[in-house]
Amino acid sequence: MARRNRKNGRTGNRPLYWSISVCTLAAALGMVYLHLYNTCERLERTNKKLEQERTALQELIKREEHSWESLSSIRNMDALMKQHGIAMTWPESSRIIHIADTPSEPPLYAQRRK
């Protein structure tokens, strides 16, 4: 008679296999969570840095616009023309062409007629 195979007789290892697979799944989910958390933290730091740069650029724009307005004012232009010896006067009112901001009637291609 053939000897009995001892491997076939072991049935008590199923809980061990299930616990190993559950622990592996939990570890994988934990790694995914840590990866997402790290990505969110990195994006938050980048966002804060970009917002600070944006506010700094807005302040710079305001300063430059104020500087440009003061440099291009009529008083400053008159002083610069005197400094460089340029004699200019304002044009006569008949030579000034005024451009209207809004047309009196909308263009025909923008109208819908039914």
Side-chain angles (χ1 to χ4, degrees), residues 10-92:
R10 293 186 183 171
T11 58
N13 291 337
R14 283 194 180 150
L16 179 65
Y17 294 137
W18 279 106
S19 63
I20 290 174
S21 62
V22 168
C23 288
T24 306
L25 180 64
L29 288 176
M31 294 298 283
V32 168
Y33 172 77
L34 288 176
H35 174 70
L36 289 175
Y37 182 78
N38 187 25
T39 303
C40 289
E41 288 291 321
R42 185 172 29 89
L43 288 175
E44 183 180 354
R45 285 191 302 268
T46 306
N47 193 14
K48 274 187 180 179
K49 180 182 170 187
L50 290 175
E51 284 177 354
Q52 289 173 351
E53 288 179 9
R54 179 177 174 234
T55 55
L57 287 174
Q58 285 177 343
E59 290 174 3
L60 178 66
I61 287 172
K62 285 181 184 178
R63 275 186 275 149
E64 292 297 325
E65 284 177 348
H66 177 70
S67 174
W68 175 254
E69 287 174 1
S70 65
L71 288 175
S72 63
S73 67
I74 294 173
R75 183 182 305 156
N76 193 31
M77 288 295 166
D78 288 338
L80 285 173
M81 286 191 291
K82 285 180 186 176
Q83 179 183 356
H84 293 288
I86 300 173
M88 291 181 71
T89 59
W90 290 100
E92 299 172 3

